[in-house]
Amino acid sequence: MTASKLKGSLLEYTVRRILLNCGFTKVRPDGLLIYDRGGLTMINGKGAAHDADVLMNPPIQMPFSYPYRLNFECKAYNKKVGLTIIRNALGLRYDINEFEIVTRTHLRERQNNRRSPLAIDNRQRFNYQVGVASVEDFTKPAFEFAANNKIPLISLRWFLPANICDSFHQITPAYLQRFTEQQLNDLHQFFKGNDNENATTFLRETDSIFRNIYNSILEFENRVLIGLLESGDLLFLISDNNDNVEYLSNRNTVMTARFHYRRRALDNWTLSVNQEARFEFYLPARIIEMWKEQSFDSQAAINLKAELFSRVFVFVRNGELPFRILQIDRRWLNEINGNE
């Protein structure tokens, strides 16, 4: 078992746990269009079958459209992710969504204008979104390309402690020599989403970098929720404790929201819910680019809040309704208009 494989599968596990905790569900292979191969989840595309690192169903779907699915490509590099990786993600999105089954039988059926069945494969179709998750951050060209093509980005540096992110890069071939090949294989299978009791015992009882990262993930997932703007942009809402998460999850009424930013960190915003619960989030890349085009003007920020943050759907796992609705505090927005 190589260090790169273990780091990659550990990153996949981290992203998968966060999404599952926010109400996403794992896509189950159907054995044909999506299938398992050697512990990998493969999805067919127009040109080839691809390894889908983290393939999930969102908690809610939009009407009048094919159901959506989300796949995150995970890169555990010890450097910033560059433009090539983001371009590949765009190519993957195209290849998966353009895939269609056309056989000789289908082609012959099209020649018959009086045919009764459709000359296409009878199957459920999906809209696939492809994002990129990384331990490290992204280069400026990668960031801009992702923004222009609506490719979701996640960096563990945005929300996990620095020492935990650094720990990923301490998983080296020399470090792995401390463990047996069977232990490493068990961990890899567990991180890929397969039940493995030996790996669970190892993570609970054996002092290791893997246990430190694993425990940090368990602690963090209780402090994060995922929000969806009406524009389709994702927000990772992070609280400094799980009391704020419980506050939002346990209320079934529409709540008011206020959004703030600090001049020293323009991409790091704060969400206040009913002025009682507080979350931080990184502004999506596309919205940062929109604001940048206006020189990060304060009035432009107010306009963005009014246009893009008027309503936020926050995914939760409590109750029958899989999300909570936050509406921007209009009275507060009117008060700050022209004064922020």
Side-chain angles (χ1 to χ4, degrees):
M1 180 60 58
T2 65
S4 60
K5 274 189 177 181
L6 269 175
K7 287 195 296 183
S9 62
L10 180 53
L11 176 58
E12 292 173 22
Y13 175 82
T14 303
V15 175
R16 190 182 302 112
R17 282 294 298 245
I18 293 172
L19 295 176
L20 286 171
N21 193 58
C22 295
F24 286 68
T25 57
K26 187 178 179 181
V27 173
R28 300 298 177 184
D30 56 27
L32 180 62
L33 302 174
I34 300 174
Y35 59 94
D36 290 326
R37 186 177 70 187
L40 304 177
T41 299
M42 306 298 295
I43 180 170
N44 273 297
K46 188 176 182 180
H50 307 274
D51 176 15
D53 291 343
V54 180
L55 185 59
M56 310 293 286
N57 296 304
I60 58 174
Q61 297 288 351
M62 299 300 293
F64 310 112
S65 173
Y66 289 140
Y68 276 84
R69 283 176 169 174
L70 175 63
N71 177 53
F72 268 102
E73 293 290 287
C74 297
K75 306 299 178 184
Y77 302 151
N78 190 10
K79 61 179 181 180
K80 289 186 176 182
V81 171
L83 177 59
T84 300
I85 297 298
I86 312 302
R87 280 178 172 164
N88 289 344
L90 179 62
L92 176 60
R93 187 174 74 189
Y94 172 83
D95 197 63
I96 295 174
N97 284 312
E98 293 299 312
F99 172 69
E100 189 52 84
I101 298 175
V102 179
T103 66
R104 291 179 180 273
T105 300
H106 291 152
L107 294 176
R108 292 192 185 98
E109 288 175 349
R110 290 178 182 176
Q111 298 176 22
N112 180 9
N113 291 328
R114 297 183 180 180
R115 66 182 186 270
S116 54
L118 294 174
I120 58 175
D121 186 65
N122 184 22
R123 65 184 177 90
Q124 174 66 64
R125 288 162 174 78
F126 296 90
N127 280 319
Y128 286 93
Q129 173 61 289
V130 177
V132 178
S134 172
V135 176
E136 300 301 324
D137 216 319
F138 300 86
T139 65
K140 183 178 179 180
F143 197 80
E144 292 175 346
F145 188 87
N148 290 329
N149 290 281
K150 285 195 172 182
I151 298 174
L153 301 179
I154 299 177
S155 167
L156 298 191
R157 290 284 179 187
W158 296 348
F159 41 74
L160 288 185
N163 65 309
I164 295 299
C165 295
D166 293 341
S167 295
F168 272 82
H169 308 311
Q170 295 169 13
I171 302 173
T172 62
Y175 181 76
L176 296 187
Q177 291 179 7
R178 305 181 184 191
F179 311 105
T180 68
E181 189 66 20
Q182 185 61 53
Q183 287 175 319
L184 299 178
N185 285 329
D186 288 340
L187 283 174
H188 183 254
Q189 288 299 314
F190 178 78
F191 292 147
K192 293 295 287 186
N194 304 303
D195 293 333
N196 191 297
E197 188 174 335
N198 292 334
T200 303
T201 301
F202 177 92
L203 291 169
R204 186 173 59 248
E205 299 180 357
T206 304
D207 184 21
S208 69
I209 290 174
F210 301 107
R211 186 175 72 174
N212 294 340
I213 296 175
Y214 175 76
N215 288 338
S216 180
I217 295 168
L218 295 184
E219 187 276 332
F220 170 75
E221 70 179 11
N222 293 320
R223 300 188 289 106
V224 63
L225 293 170
I226 293 179
L228 178 68
L229 301 181
E230 291 183 301
S231 61
D233 295 289
L234 291 178
L235 305 178
F236 288 86
L237 306 174
I238 305 162
S239 171
D240 56 6
N241 61 71
N242 62 359
D243 291 341
N244 291 324
V245 172
E246 291 182 4
Y247 175 88
L248 195 151
S249 300
N250 293 332
R251 279 162 174 73
N252 294 320
T253 58
V254 175
M255 292 166 272
T256 60
R258 298 182 180 185
F259 301 90
H260 305 275
Y261 65 91
R262 297 183 297 273
R263 275 293 173 188
R264 65 178 182 274
L266 295 175
D267 59 341
N268 186 213
W269 283 32
T270 299
L271 162 66
S272 172
V273 180
N274 288 348
Q275 295 182 262
E276 294 191 44
R278 182 176 178 275
F279 298 84
E280 292 189 355
F281 65 93
Y282 278 87
L283 209 58
R286 186 180 70 87
I287 299 177
I288 290 179
E289 289 301 308
M290 293 172 61
W291 193 18
K292 179 181 177 182
E293 290 175 358
Q294 302 176 70
S295 303
F296 297 111
D297 177 69
S298 59
Q299 184 61 46
I302 295 175
N303 295 338
L304 287 174
K305 294 174 186 179
E307 295 169 10
L308 298 178
F309 293 85
S310 61
R311 184 182 297 171
V312 183
F313 300 90
V314 181
F315 301 136
V316 298
R317 301 190 70 176
N318 295 1
E320 297 180 358
L321 190 66
F323 60 89
R324 299 292 182 263
I325 300 176
L326 308 181
Q327 288 186 341
I328 197 165
D329 188 334
R330 289 290 175 184
R331 179 180 296 179
W332 163 79
L333 188 65
N334 292 333
E335 289 176 354
I336 66 171
N337 196 3
N339 297 319
E340 181 163 320

